[in-house]
Amino acid sequence: MVDIEQSEDNHIDDYVDDIIFNCMNLNNPKSFFLFAGAGSGKTRSLVSVLNRFRTENYKQLQLNGQRVAIITYTNAACEEIERRLNFDPLFAVSTIHTFIWGLIKGFNKDIRECLFSSLNNQIEDLKLKQTKGRVGTKSFVERQKSIENKGQRVHNLENIKQFTYNPNGLNQGKESLSHTEVISIGAYFLTNKPLMQKILIKKFPILLIDESQDTNKELINALFEVEKKNNNAFLLGLFGDTMQRIYSDGKVDLGINLPESWSKPVKKMNHRCPPRIIKLINKIRSAVDDQEQKARLDKDEGVVRFFILPSTTEKANAEKKVVKRMVEITGDRQWDGNDTDYTTLILEHHMAANRLGFLEMFQPLYQMEKLKTGLLDGSLSGIKFFTKIILPIINANEIGDKFAITSIVRKYSPLLKIQKNETEQLLKIKNAQDAINQLLSLWDEYNEPRCIDVLQCVATLNLFDIPVSLYPLTTLDIEDQTVNDDNNFDGDNDVINAWAECLNAPFSQIRAYDSYITG
């Protein structure tokens, strides 16, 4: 491999910070998209510019009661940025779900109308499919359950005075919104309701989005619309790299065909990797776009050993052979033996599921585009039902922590709704305890129940509220749920079938999945 071009100046990208800072002029804002590849110091630039911005604009924002909004993808990333900004309240750092809920929260009448229209459209679509389906088939029964469930939700809307949402919670109550609904409603309001645009701009004249390539495309498009109509008073700043897109609902062509008025700075330096590795990165990327990174002057050349194996290779044995070969090449015993010290990076989620033992529950959902993002970030309500309620109960039971079990039941179970009558309340407590005992009995004598066994047990006992996505499966026999016995294609049915196949997996795979998804 030929040497990669190294920069003559390790600070070649410093001018980018000046460009971003100049864009953040409250009197003449200019939206921008910053291309920042891996290791380019994107977060450092963000924090540096914001600290400089605070020095010159603090009083003006404070007098106007305004803040700068910074959106990033995970809670961990939020905490890191907040820490590096010294937790200054001038900066509202949050995940996208938290930010959008902060905008739409309290607009209960508008939310109700939006949900009413959306649910009724879904019901009409399902009814149309019913007219083409065969009565008595599994597909027909599942659709009918979905129609009834959505119809009941439409009916419940009339009695909901205040909608609720917790970006880190289960959101299972009648008044709760799902993660998907919050984003969808927020995007609709920002696109179609001028008042919501005014509220956004009045509160946050500057909105910066980190990892923008993974932000929901529906919402990104809505924010583009807000910026287009209000570019004299609102700045939208996007940080990202389309090649690093992880989630399927991100905007594929983000950064392409941006308005002429936008600034489009590019960070060229990769501060993280040795030159030889950057050359490999550039070579791989050359088939996609013309973005190239440069290496630092003070980085050693680095070594890349590339082992290419047939797709049918048994991975574990192949890795042992690679390790043995690396010992021969380097003479470094830390590749093998008692002092082993190397890291295996699993780049593909499907591979991780296979290696870590949760492929059966993972694969069916991963194949569904509309479920994939929620599966990968752990936000699917159907999954959180198992990871946030059932799994903690099982874990607590294994160590004999009855207090933890009681806390979970008190928090989530409809069986423990407070009663004024003391006798009725004591009866409810007894019923809840009996229900928990029946649930835990599924694991008696070292049995390993399937997820569907757990779901149907909980539903029968009314121990916890069942997520809408899983409700059609609470009473059906799913031994052969994956067969679609209607001739017509049915997207909703495909989703239900995916859940059915997922829930046929043993519950132990929920534990493995949760361990993976939480790092």
Side-chain angles (χ1 to χ4, degrees):
M1 299 173 71
V2 297
D3 290 341
I4 185 177
E5 176 188 355
Q6 288 183 270
S7 170
E8 297 179 357
D9 180 4
N10 289 337
H11 300 280
I12 191 174
D13 289 334
D14 286 1
Y15 78 97
V16 172
D17 292 5
D18 293 330
I19 291 176
I20 296 173
F21 175 77
N22 291 331
C23 287
M24 294 174 61
N25 183 333
L26 292 173
N27 299 316
N28 185 28
K30 185 173 185 177
S31 295
F32 64 86
F33 176 84
L34 169 64
F35 170 83
S40 61
K42 170 172 55 65
T43 303
R44 183 198 63 78
S45 284
L46 174 63
V47 171
S48 174
V49 170
L50 288 175
N51 281 326
R52 183 176 168 189
F53 174 85
R54 169 173 47 197
T55 301
E56 298 193 16
N57 297 277
Y58 186 89
K59 287 185 178 180
Q60 182 176 345
L61 284 175
Q62 190 179 45
L63 286 172
N64 293 332
Q66 295 177 316
R67 306 169 74 192
V68 175
I70 302 104
I71 293 173
T72 191
Y73 213 88
T74 66
N75 288 322
C78 289
E79 292 167 5
E80 173 65 14
I81 292 173
E82 284 182 312
R83 182 185 65 78
R84 292 169 70 170
L85 291 172
N86 297 316
F87 301 95
D88 192 325
L90 182 71
F91 304 115
V93 187
S94 66
T95 62
I96 192 68
H97 291 89
T98 300
F99 179 76
I100 294 300
W101 176 239
L103 287 178
I104 69 173
K105 180 181 179 181
F107 290 89
N108 298 295
K109 180 177 179 293
D110 299 273
I111 292 173
R112 184 182 298 106
E113 290 175 354
C114 191
L115 284 174
F116 184 84
S117 175
S118 175
L119 288 167
N120 276 310
N121 287 337
Q122 293 174 45
I123 291 171
E124 290 304 312
D125 184 53
L126 287 169
K127 285 182 177 179
L128 179 62
K129 291 176 180 177
Q130 285 294 67
T131 63
K132 301 176 182 178
R134 296 198 302 273
V135 177
T137 63
K138 172 177 61 62
S139 301
F140 190 93
V141 172
E142 289 172 349
R143 274 194 300 265
Q144 190 58 41
K145 274 187 167 290
S146 292
I147 291 172
E148 293 171 1
N149 189 47
K150 293 178 189 297
Q152 183 59 49
R153 190 151 187 237
V154 170
H155 175 74
N156 290 337
L157 288 177
E158 301 175 4
N159 302 315
I160 296 175
K161 295 182 179 180
Q162 182 173 325
F163 291 91
T164 62
Y165 172 71
N166 181 347
N168 300 309
L170 289 165
N171 302 303
Q172 288 182 258
K174 294 178 181 179
E175 69 285 349
S176 297
L177 299 176
S178 70
H179 302 294
T180 302
E181 286 171 340
V182 166
I183 294 299
S184 182
I185 293 170
Y188 178 81
F189 283 4
L190 286 170
T191 304
N192 298 282
K193 294 185 178 293
L195 176 60
M196 183 56 66
Q197 295 183 12
K198 291 179 181 178
I199 291 173
L200 170 62
I201 296 166
K202 180 64 177 176
K203 293 175 67 174
F204 306 105
I206 295 177
L207 171 58
L208 308 177
I209 304 181
D210 193 15
E211 306 295 357
S212 56
Q213 71 276 356
D214 279 323
T215 304
N216 177 276
K217 55 181 171 288
E218 184 183 4
L219 184 57
I220 282 288
N221 288 335
L223 290 171
F224 276 137
E225 189 67 21
V226 174
E227 194 276 341
K228 180 180 178 181
K229 294 178 178 178
N230 304 275
N231 56 20
N232 63 328
F234 177 67
L235 182 156
L236 180 61
L238 306 180
F239 295 71
D241 174 4
T242 51
M243 272 283 283
Q244 296 187 60
R245 191 166 64 95
I246 298 173
Y247 300 105
S248 59
D249 65 346
K251 187 173 175 62
V252 176
D253 57 352
L254 186 66
I256 299 176
N257 298 323
L258 290 170
E260 286 295 324
S261 60
W262 280 49
S263 182
K264 308 171 189 69
V266 176
K267 291 177 76 74
K268 295 274 187 186
M269 180 74 74
N270 183 322
H271 297 274
R272 182 185 303 154
C273 300
R276 205 170 189 193
I277 293 175
I278 296 174
K279 179 172 179 60
L280 177 62
I281 293 171
N282 288 342
K283 186 67 175 176
I284 293 171
R285 181 160 194 149
S286 64
V288 180
D289 58 32
D290 58 357
Q291 298 289 355
E292 285 193 353
Q293 291 187 302
K294 298 179 181 293
R296 290 179 62 92
L297 284 169
D298 50 6
K299 286 285 187 180
D300 293 334
E301 183 64 16
V303 176
V304 177
R305 296 288 178 185
F306 210 48
F307 296 85
I308 303 176
L309 303 167
S311 60
T312 55
T313 301
E314 204 285 309
K315 302 294 193 303
N317 289 333
E319 284 180 8
K320 290 178 182 178
K321 292 180 181 179
V322 168
V323 166
K324 184 178 179 180
R325 178 64 179 141
M326 290 305 296
V327 173
E328 296 172 358
I329 292 171
T330 64
D332 187 348
R333 298 305 305 178
Q334 286 190 313
W335 277 103
D336 199 9
N338 296 329
D339 296 325
T340 299
D341 184 19
Y342 67 86
T343 298
T344 301
L345 175 62
I346 301 175
L347 295 177
E348 207 275 322
H349 300 289
H350 193 273
M351 186 186 298
N354 187 34
R355 293 192 180 195
L356 302 179
F358 57 90
L359 184 62
E360 291 175 76
M361 62 79 54
F362 182 87
Q363 182 170 271
L365 304 183
Y366 187 69
Q367 293 173 340
M368 301 300 300
E369 281 299 319
K370 64 174 64 177
L371 301 179
K372 184 183 291 187
T373 297
L375 176 69
L376 295 181
D377 65 18
S379 64
L380 280 181
S381 60
I383 291 294
K384 294 183 85 168
F385 169 77
F386 290 102
T387 60
K388 299 300 184 184
I389 296 180
I390 307 301
L391 182 59
I393 288 176
I394 304 308
N395 290 340
N397 185 60
E398 289 176 353
I399 61 175
D401 190 346
K402 294 183 178 180
F403 178 78
I405 295 175
T406 301
S407 297
I408 295 168
V409 176
R410 183 182 295 119
K411 183 176 182 179
Y412 295 114
S413 179
L415 294 181
L416 282 186
K417 290 182 179 178
I418 301 298
Q419 299 291 319
K420 294 181 180 179
N421 185 296
E422 183 177 348
T423 302
E424 290 183 4
Q425 187 62 33
L426 290 173
L427 179 61
K428 280 187 170 290
I429 293 173
K430 182 180 183 304
N431 289 340
Q433 183 60 61
D434 290 343
I436 283 292
N437 291 338
Q438 288 187 58
L439 173 63
L440 294 175
S441 70
L442 295 176
W443 283 264
D444 282 355
E445 299 178 2
Y446 305 101
N447 289 327
E448 179 62 55
R450 300 172 303 164
C451 296
I452 187 64
D453 300 326
V454 176
L455 175 71
Q456 293 184 346
C457 176
V458 170
T460 300
L461 298 170
N462 192 32
L463 180 54
F464 300 110
D465 292 327
I466 303 299
V468 172
S469 55
L470 302 184
Y471 182 76
L473 301 171
T474 55
T475 57
L476 292 175
D477 178 3
I478 68 162
E479 287 296 334
D480 191 29
Q481 278 289 302
T482 58
V483 178
N484 192 336
D485 43 14
D486 269 357
N487 292 325
N488 61 297
F489 173 80
D490 188 339
D492 293 314
N493 232 50
D494 285 349
V495 170
I496 295 175
N497 283 337
W499 276 113
E501 189 176 347
C502 164
L503 298 186
N504 253 327
F507 184 82
S508 58
Q509 295 195 13
I510 292 291
R511 192 193 302 268
Y513 162 82
D514 185 63
S515 177
Y516 169 69
I517 214 70
T518 56

